[in-house]
Amino acid sequence: MSFLYFSFGVLAILAIASAIVTIASRNPVRSAFALIFHFFMLAGLYLTLNAQFVAVIQVLVYAGAIMVLVVFVIMLLNLSNEERLSERFDFRKTIAIFFGIAFAIEVVLAIFIPGTFKNNLHPDSVKIGTAQEIGKALYSNFLVPVEVVGILLLVAIIGAIVLAKRKLE
Amino acid sequence: MQTIPLEFYLLLSAVLFVIGAIGVLTRRNAIVVFMSIELMLNSVNLTFVAFSAYMGDIAGQIFVFFIMAVAAGEATIGLAIVLALFRLKQSVYVDEANSLKL
């Protein structure tokens, strides 16, 4: 039990720290690598929730595919460090502070409202995290959404080719 | 089977979502804005998986896969738009993409 708390604490702190580095770094390449680290930490958090298959797919799809694409585009564009924009920055900062205050209120409410949530993992949680159970659900109850997502990915591929082409003939 | 309370996961995911939202609002680089959106999507995924594990319902984990598929599609389209913007403006700063402004 204490090992679970320890691993959750370490993973959560590293996830928050890498998220902050992602949005605070002036260098886009550093942001991208912090985000990749963040995805690995999230995969570890999924493992503490007995969701093994989601954890593996998280590393494969996000760290393996999406972030490779992002890093590729950053390298292709050869971006320099982002310089601050002083005159228009105040409005954005105001909104950011508003979000921070809203979040602080949310945290206080979440802590002081007596908990109605369950404190224990469901006994079935080990079973439903396996690839077998997820595959069964995907191809029985969720068959139509799977097909629709397939069409969506096809549209995304065609759209990306059309947008990235220099000239349409 | 005593484990971590569900609130811890919800709080962590709220923190990550707000960090992502602040990134979207404060950064100028379109690629970093895009990565902040990925942060927000992932914090929602964490909530889905946490509820799925604590309620014993598989639908939460199925939805994570759909969100990942949509995020992959968004990544390809978003980066293609960034490339097109760079070709047009020689920069990827979102405040310089103001051609439609009156």
Side-chain angles (χ1 to χ4, degrees):
Chain A
M1 187 184 88
S2 59
F3 172 71
L4 202 59
Y5 269 96
F6 176 74
S7 51
F8 175 82
V10 170
L11 288 169
I13 289 169
L14 286 178
I16 291 174
S18 54
I20 290 173
V21 171
T22 302
I23 68 155
S25 167
R26 297 276 132 209
N27 185 346
V29 179
R30 189 173 296 153
S31 292
F33 278 89
L35 192 57
I36 292 171
F37 187 77
H38 175 77
F39 288 153
F40 275 98
M41 294 303 109
L42 274 184
L45 283 168
Y46 293 154
L47 285 181
T48 66
L49 287 164
N50 291 330
Q52 325 134 16
F53 191 58
V54 177
V56 173
I57 294 297
Q58 167 85 14
V59 172
L60 272 180
V61 172
Y62 272 110
I66 295 182
M67 291 315 292
V68 166
L69 200 62
V70 171
V71 172
F72 193 81
V73 170
I74 292 172
M75 299 294 183
L76 192 67
L77 297 185
N78 193 17
L79 299 172
S80 55
N81 287 2
E82 179 179 332
E83 66 267 16
R84 283 185 184 280
L85 192 67
S86 51
E87 72 267 35
R88 260 179 276 175
F89 221 62
D90 291 329
F91 173 63
R92 296 179 181 183
K93 258 187 184 159
T94 317
I95 297 179
I97 289 169
F98 169 74
F99 262 89
I101 292 171
F103 171 64
I105 293 170
E106 189 187 353
V107 168
V108 169
L109 284 179
I111 289 173
F112 287 104
I113 286 178
T116 53
F117 296 122
K118 298 170 178 171
N119 273 347
N120 294 328
L121 284 175
H122 198 274
D124 285 347
S125 68
V126 177
K127 203 187 79 174
I128 66 172
T130 59
Q132 188 186 6
E133 291 295 317
I134 289 175
K136 267 188 204 162
L138 269 181
Y139 287 107
S140 58
N141 290 338
F142 294 91
L143 184 59
V144 176
V146 169
E147 301 292 341
V148 173
V149 163
I151 296 171
L152 177 77
L153 285 178
L154 177 67
V155 171
I157 293 169
I158 296 171
I161 292 172
V162 170
L163 279 171
K165 243 182 147 180
R166 217 167 259 281
K167 201 189 286 177
L168 281 178
E169 47 205 72
Chain B
M1 194 168 69
Q2 178 68 37
T3 48
I4 304 161
L6 178 56
E7 285 94 333
F8 284 21
Y9 286 101
L10 300 183
L11 278 180
L12 173 64
S13 127
V15 170
L16 294 177
F17 189 88
V18 171
I19 291 174
I22 291 172
V24 169
L25 292 170
T26 55
R27 295 303 301 264
R28 294 173 64 206
N29 191 328
I31 296 177
V32 180
V33 170
F34 168 79
M35 287 195 268
S36 305
I37 294 173
E38 296 288 330
L39 270 179
M40 293 163 80
L41 284 173
N42 269 284
S43 76
V44 175
N45 275 353
L46 182 62
T47 318
F48 266 123
V49 174
F51 273 118
S52 162
Y54 280 79
M55 306 293 169
D57 189 352
I58 202 168
Q61 301 197 7
I62 302 291
F63 265 86
V64 168
F65 289 105
F66 294 147
I67 292 177
M68 279 184 187
V70 172
E74 180 226 327
T76 51
I77 296 290
L79 290 172
I81 290 174
V82 169
L83 276 179
L85 180 70
F86 187 78
R87 247 183 233 140
L88 195 67
K89 298 262 181 189
Q90 304 302 315
S91 107
V92 292
Y93 290 164
V94 286
D95 56 299
E96 288 173 18
N98 54 3
S99 307
L100 287 179
K101 258 189 190 168
L102 288 174

